[in-house]
Amino acid sequence: MATNRTFTMLKPDSVEKGHIGAILEKINASGFRIVAMKLTQMTKSDAETFYEIHKERPFFGELVEYMTRGPIVAAILEKENAVEDFRTLIGATNPADAAEGTIRKLYAASIGENAVHGSDSDENAAIEGAFHFSGREMF
Ligand code: UDP
Ligand code: MG
């Protein structure tokens, strides 16, 4: 069932560099409603579970290290066509390939440290949102 919701994380590099406000401004300006949001930090086990699909990839260890090194902003966002529109707003995984004006083009340092997460399907958006938030934290 399409829910018109997606899940995002402003990754540790975005928090470290003071980019939370600028990224949230772009998210708001693009018409997303914030359903849930918090500053939180993933444990190693959280990150290994969250990125389990990538566990055989050569970058998995670095990815877990990066995603657990400091706090993130986790959020659930709502908009018509949320998953696809948010992927368009954040841009390609590698900022070198990301379109002008996208969040990753503006704020990502590299393919590894790429500023933000965006769910890749409605199904994963629901799973990832439920990983970070209880029902009473969603509005
Ligand atoms: N990643 C990486 N090296 C790569 C591909 C991905 O370090 O060659 C990291 C990067 O932080 C990326 C995350 O792993 O955001 C998940 O990869 P995915 O292919 O799902 O990219 P995304 O959906 O985030 O664009
Ligand atoms: Mg992905």
Side-chain angles (χ1 to χ4, degrees):
M1 187 188 75
T3 58
N4 291 328
R5 286 184 178 186
T6 193
F7 172 76
T8 187
M9 295 182 285
L10 312 192
K11 296 180 176 184
D13 53 323
S14 293
V15 177
E16 289 159 8
K17 293 171 180 169
H19 291 155
I20 295 174
I23 294 172
L24 291 181
E25 175 60 30
K26 280 196 78 74
I27 290 172
N28 274 325
S30 302
F32 291 89
R33 185 180 79 81
I34 295 167
V35 172
M37 176 170 282
K38 67 181 159 195
L39 193 65
T40 185
Q41 184 163 1
M42 288 201 283
T43 64
K44 187 164 185 277
S45 143
D46 287 337
E48 285 171 351
T49 303
F50 189 92
Y51 283 111
E52 185 153 28
I53 192 171
H54 295 307
K55 68 171 183 287
E56 305 302 336
R57 309 282 291 278
F59 58 81
F60 185 69
E62 266 178 45
L63 176 59
V64 169
E65 191 66 27
Y66 158 53
M67 289 302 298
T68 58
R69 78 180 185 211
I72 59 165
V73 175
I76 297 172
L77 305 173
E78 190 170 71
K79 181 185 183 296
E80 203 178 304
N81 203 36
V83 165
E84 194 185 339
D85 286 2
F86 193 70
R87 295 290 304 203
T88 301
L89 177 65
I90 68 177
T93 307
N94 187 346
D97 302 328
E100 287 302 324
T102 59
I103 293 172
R104 282 169 166 167
K105 185 69 171 188
L106 289 165
Y107 301 112
S110 66
I111 190 169
E113 299 206 7
N114 59 3
V116 282
H117 169 80
S119 304
D120 62 8
S121 66
D122 286 338
E123 188 192 3
N124 284 335
I127 292 168
E128 292 169 0
F131 184 88
H132 282 276
F133 295 100
S134 65
R136 63 183 293 185
E137 295 175 299
M138 301 176 193
F139 297 91

